[in-house]
């Protein structure tokens, strides 16, 4: 007995040291992951907020040499493009997710799963080229539609996968309970299952929106960009990321500052949209799940 | 009608024994639709070609409680779930034979209609997590068609009252159903089933996840419900079967071994297998 006891005691010291080392490593890794994020956030805020004024939100870009001017058209443009993309990407994503989990265990469902995985791995510039090929070329011009289509395509895999994962988490017993009450299957899916999974699905949608809002590459040859207000969705339209890109590669300090301000506004915009969606779709009984 | 039913129970009528069936008088036959709420003929269920239950011939009278007992995997739940189409979503499940409700084959009813007539309470309490207590009770109504608010209020009170949950929840109907305890959740599920006003209620081991106090409350509820409903309850607990039921069916290896008055099953079963199971030789 005493032998065992002393052995345990001797080991416990060594084990504690090992535990400390591993814990330190984990904390360091966590810091490394967070550090760039915090840095980007603060640097953008400091650089961007200082160049920000009311004009930035109300005025069109000014030509080189003139001071002042803003990105009003790009802010509205980004909201328009993300809106168009959401209109296309979210319903398709959710319905595909519902089909894969609720209605099909077949080969076809597995193919859809595989394709969405592949789609989420495709570089966004390729998506842009695709949109260019199917919309810009036949229509003979850059347009908000083409940009929205490209962003929508980018959103589909995220929304589909999240919908699928969240629906899988809804216990089978909930579906049975609803069916046993004589509720038709489609109503069970929409009013019970989807509703139970809604908070998770909304998180996924917000992720998709945030990603789409920050995309530059697919917009370069779909919505193209515009220094003025767009009169219709049928023509080129400005967007914050493209505007940032144009300003950032320019040689003018004034434009560099505008690019920083644009980056800051973009982050703030995504944050505000997330907040609004969260509040608007808040479920009074949502579980921490 | 109620006299007739009482009469039949007292007669120690055993529906699975063919001889007894043939001896039924012509008068009784003409009232058959009143007496039998559920009948099955040669009911069989198989999963991916492997037979789970077969040759189930059984008749349930209205206003009685029938317990289904048997060892795990004998097909009790499979049988129960066949009665309201719950196998419809199970991959590979094939249900054959006939099930009649009030003498009419269920294939003649609309599937959702059968489920509204044959309510079901499951083993684990499964309230809808995103709904309030109130919404849970009326879910089967509001998701069917529009109803007047006054009608819904009335239904909520009536159903919760019957399920024995009204006193505990009347002041917090708008609270999430998940805030209730396990036993309360199960009674909520019973109330939810009662709200759609079924004729038959199937209970699939409704108390196996609950403590003795909650179990007692639910058994009490069963006795009250008997006045208006036909009740079939699957249970692993033989004391429970003997406490609550009028009739007991013993299932073994996918077959119905014996169906008789509960007292008969527990005191003088006809089959040796039943006796062995009841006294605890196996199971």
């Amino acid at each position: 007995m005493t032998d065992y006891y002393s052995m345990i005691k001797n080991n416990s010291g060594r084990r504690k040291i090992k535990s400390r080392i591993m814990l330190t490593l984990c904390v360091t890794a966590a810091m490394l992951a967070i550090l760039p994020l915090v840095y980007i956030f603060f640097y953008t805020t400091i650089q961007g907020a200082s160049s920000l004024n009311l004009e930035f939100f109300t005025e069109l870009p000014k030509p080189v040499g003139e001071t002042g001017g803003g990105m009003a058209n790009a802010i509205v443009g980004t909201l328009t493009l993300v809106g168009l993309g959401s209109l296309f990407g979210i319903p398709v994503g959710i319905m595909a997710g519902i089909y894969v989990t609720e209605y099909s265990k077949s080969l076809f469902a597995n193919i859809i799963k595989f394709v969405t995985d592949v789609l989420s791995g495709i570089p966004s510039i390729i998506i842009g080229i695709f949109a260019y090929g199917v919309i810009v070329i036949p229509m003979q011009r850059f347009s908000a539609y083409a940009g929205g289509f490209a962003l929508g395509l980018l959103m589909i895999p995220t929304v589909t996968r999240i919908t699928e994962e969240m629906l899988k988490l809804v216990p089978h017993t909930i579906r049975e309970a609803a069916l046993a009450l004589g509720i038709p299957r489609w109503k069970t899916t929409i009013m019970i299952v989807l509703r139970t999974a809604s908070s998770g699905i909304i998180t996924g949608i917000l992720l998709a929106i945030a990603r789409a809002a920050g995309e530059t590459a697919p917009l370069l040859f779909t919505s193209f960009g515009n220094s003025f207000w767009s009169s219709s969705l049928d023509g080129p339209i400005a967007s914050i990321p493209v505007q940032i890109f144009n300003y950032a590669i320019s040689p003018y300090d004034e434009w560099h500052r505008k690019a920083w301000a644009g980056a800051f506004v973009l982050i703030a915009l995504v944050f505000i949209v997330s907040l609004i969606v969260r509040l608007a779709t808040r479920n009074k009984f949502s579980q921490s799940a | 009608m109620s006299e007739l039913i009482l009469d039949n129970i007292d007669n120690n009528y055993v529906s699975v024994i063919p001889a007894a069936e043939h001896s039924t008088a012509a008068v009784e036959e003409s009232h058959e639709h009143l007496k039998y709420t559920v009948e099955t003929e040669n009911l069989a269920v198989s999963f991916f070609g492997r037979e789970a239950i077969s040759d189930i011939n059984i008749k349930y009278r209205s206003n009685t409680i029938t317990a289904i007992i048997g060892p795990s995997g004998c097909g009790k739940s499979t049988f129960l779930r066949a009665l309201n189409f719950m196998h419809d979503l199970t991959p590979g499940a094939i249900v054959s034979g006939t099930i009649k409700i009030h003498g009419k084959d269920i294939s003649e009813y609309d599937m959702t209609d059968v489920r509204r007539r044959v309510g079901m309470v499951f083993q684990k309490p499964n309230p809808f997590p995103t709904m309030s207590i109130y919404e849970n009770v009326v879910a089967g109504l509001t998701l069917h068609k529009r109803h007047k608010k006054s009608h819904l209020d009335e239904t909520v009170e009536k159903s919760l009252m019957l399920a024995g949950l009204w006193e505990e929840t009347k002041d917090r109907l708008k609270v999430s159903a998940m805030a209730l305890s396990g036993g309360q959740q199960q009674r909520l599920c019973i109330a939810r089933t009662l709200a759609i006003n079924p004729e038959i209620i199937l209970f699939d081991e409704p108390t196996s996840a609950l403590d003795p106090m909650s179990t007692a409350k639910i058994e009490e509820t069963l006795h009250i419900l008997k006045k208006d409903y036909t009740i079939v309850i699957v249970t692993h607990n033989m004391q429970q079967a003997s406490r609550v039921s009028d009739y007991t069916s013993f299932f073994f290896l996918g077959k119905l071994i014996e169906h008789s008055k509960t007292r008969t099953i527990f005191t003088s079963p006809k089959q040796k297998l039943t006796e062995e199971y009841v006294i605890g030789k196996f199971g």
Side-chain angles (χ1 to χ4, degrees):
Chain A
M1 276 306 279
T2 43
D3 275 340
Y4 280 123
Y5 187 66
S6 58
M7 239 163 73
I8 290 165
K9 266 202 136 175
N10 284 340
N11 266 340
S12 81
R14 208 178 303 160
R15 272 210 297 263
K16 267 183 191 152
I17 293 168
K18 266 194 217 161
S19 163
R20 286 259 163 77
I21 293 171
M22 286 316 287
L23 192 65
T24 316
L25 284 175
C26 287
V27 170
T28 316
M31 296 287 248
L32 276 176
I34 295 172
L35 206 66
L37 252 161
V38 174
Y39 184 72
I40 290 171
F41 187 74
F42 276 103
Y43 198 71
T44 316
T45 308
I46 290 161
Q47 291 282 323
S50 61
S51 336
L52 211 59
N53 49 27
L54 186 66
E55 232 177 285
F56 190 84
F57 295 98
T58 55
E59 300 266 318
L60 290 176
K62 288 260 168 74
V64 196
E66 282 185 52
T67 49
M71 269 199 200
N73 59 337
I75 295 170
V76 173
T78 283
L79 289 174
T80 310
L81 288 168
V82 171
L84 282 174
S86 302
L87 232 49
F88 165 57
I90 294 172
V92 172
I94 289 181
M95 285 192 276
I98 289 175
Y99 176 75
V100 168
T101 27
E102 302 291 314
Y103 288 91
S104 178
K105 305 270 178 270
S106 63
L107 183 70
F108 186 49
N110 284 325
I111 292 172
I112 293 176
K113 280 185 209 173
F114 180 70
V115 169
T116 49
D117 279 348
V118 173
L119 196 61
S120 67
I122 291 178
S124 58
I125 195 153
I126 310 282
I127 302 279
I129 293 168
F130 177 70
Y132 179 81
V134 292
I135 297 191
V136 176
I137 291 178
M139 281 176 75
Q140 301 276 308
R141 58 183 168 295
F142 297 111
S143 68
Y145 292 127
F149 174 68
L151 293 187
L153 273 183
L154 278 165
M155 293 170 84
I156 289 174
T158 318
V159 178
T160 305
R161 277 329 283 255
I162 291 269
T163 305
E164 190 195 327
E165 295 305 323
M166 291 301 126
L167 290 181
K168 266 196 218 153
L169 288 181
V170 177
H172 193 65
T173 53
I174 298 285
R175 292 177 180 83
E176 284 186 335
L179 293 173
L181 288 173
I183 299 170
R185 194 158 168 215
W186 66 273
K187 274 191 192 167
T188 300
T189 304
I190 295 170
M191 305 298 288
I192 309 276
V193 182
L194 207 57
R195 191 171 156 185
T196 307
S198 61
S199 74
I201 294 175
I202 286 161
T203 307
I205 289 172
L206 291 177
L207 271 173
I209 288 178
R211 188 187 163 193
E215 278 297 345
T216 320
L219 296 179
L220 286 173
F221 27 66
T222 51
S223 68
F224 190 66
N226 194 338
S227 302
F228 307 98
W229 291 106
S230 303
S231 55
S232 81
L233 299 177
D234 210 9
I237 191 167
S239 60
I240 303 175
V242 173
Q243 200 83 335
I244 292 171
F245 175 71
N246 288 337
Y247 279 169
I249 57 170
S250 77
Y252 316 111
D253 275 350
E254 170 75 7
W255 279 15
H256 288 169
R257 275 199 298 280
K258 286 267 183 310
W260 279 113
F264 175 69
V265 169
L266 190 61
I267 292 176
L269 207 65
V270 169
F271 180 72
I272 291 166
V273 169
S274 306
L275 209 67
I276 291 171
V277 172
R278 279 253 177 259
L279 287 176
T281 58
R282 191 176 39 173
N283 190 323
K284 36 186 179 155
F285 307 130
S286 67
Q287 310 289 299
S288 49
Chain B
M1 182 202 156
S2 61
E3 258 176 296
L4 194 70
I5 290 155
L6 283 176
D7 212 36
N8 278 324
I9 294 169
D10 287 342
N11 276 343
N12 203 355
Y13 182 90
V14 180
S15 63
V16 281
I17 296 174
E21 213 166 305
H22 289 305
S23 69
T24 36
V27 184
E28 272 197 305
E29 254 166 42
S30 68
H31 287 113
E32 201 157 25
H33 66 288
L34 292 177
K35 297 178 310 184
Y36 297 121
T37 331
V38 187
E39 296 166 70
T40 70
E41 278 163 33
N42 299 324
L43 183 69
V45 180
S46 64
F47 299 106
F48 294 106
R50 200 183 60 83
E51 210 151 65
I53 54 169
S54 58
D55 291 328
I56 310 290
N57 296 286
I58 209 164
K59 294 179 179 187
Y60 294 130
R61 294 162 191 294
S62 54
N63 304 69
T64 59
I65 300 181
T66 306
I68 300 180
I69 59 168
S72 296
C74 67
K76 307 184 293 286
S77 294
T78 303
F79 168 71
L80 201 69
R81 294 163 66 87
L83 297 182
N84 72 340
F85 280 123
M86 286 316 273
H87 290 305
D88 189 54
L89 285 186
T90 321
I94 294 167
V95 181
S96 61
T98 46
I99 301 168
K100 286 181 186 167
I101 293 172
H102 290 308
K104 199 168 132 188
D105 198 295
I106 59 168
S107 57
E108 289 170 42
Y109 292 95
D110 184 52
M111 178 158 65
T112 53
D113 195 38
V114 169
R115 287 178 178 155
R116 302 181 71 78
R117 283 161 177 267
V118 187
M120 187 158 189
V121 176
F122 297 84
Q123 185 171 1
K124 270 199 192 148
N126 53 2
F128 302 128
T130 50
M131 293 186 186
S132 67
I133 295 171
Y134 185 99
E135 288 172 305
N136 257 283
V137 177
V138 296
L141 297 177
T142 51
L143 291 179
H144 183 57
K145 59 177 186 198
R146 279 189 166 278
H147 288 272
K148 274 202 195 123
K149 176 95 171 57
S150 58
H151 174 64
L152 294 180
D153 288 347
E154 209 176 286
T155 310
V156 168
E157 183 172 349
K158 221 173 72 188
S159 311
L160 286 174
M161 204 92 96
L162 256 176
L165 195 62
W166 177 249
E167 286 304 319
E168 293 152 72
T169 55
K170 64 181 174 189
D171 300 322
R172 44 177 189 148
L173 292 173
K174 302 282 173 221
V175 169
S176 165
M178 302 315 278
L180 298 174
S181 74
Q184 288 173 325
Q185 286 184 15
Q186 191 64 306
R187 276 179 281 148
L188 178 65
C189 292
I190 295 175
R192 183 173 66 183
T193 307
L194 296 174
I196 55 169
N197 201 21
E199 292 149 37
I200 302 138
I201 307 179
L202 311 172
F203 289 85
D204 192 356
E205 298 182 41
T207 61
S208 63
L210 305 180
D211 63 285
M213 287 291 280
S214 305
T215 304
K217 277 197 171 154
I218 285 180
E219 286 181 11
E220 222 172 273
T221 307
L222 289 178
H223 273 293
I224 298 166
L225 296 180
K226 199 174 108 173
K227 284 200 266 293
D228 300 300
Y229 304 92
T230 308
I231 291 170
V232 185
I233 171 173
V234 164
T235 176
H236 260 300
N237 183 332
M238 276 188 276
Q239 278 95 26
Q240 183 170 57
S242 64
R243 275 197 304 265
V244 301
S245 67
D246 305 305
Y247 290 90
T248 297
S249 314
F250 172 59
F251 275 61
F252 185 66
L253 295 179
K255 302 270 184 210
L256 174 64
I257 305 298
E258 194 168 351
H259 174 79
S260 181
K261 278 194 74 177
T262 299
R263 206 192 310 139
T264 316
I265 291 276
F266 283 96
T267 54
S268 51
K270 302 220 160 31
Q271 305 291 326
K272 186 125 183 34
L273 214 52
T274 314
E275 192 186 335
E276 283 177 356
Y277 182 70
V278 167
I279 63 172
K281 264 200 176 165
F282 69 97

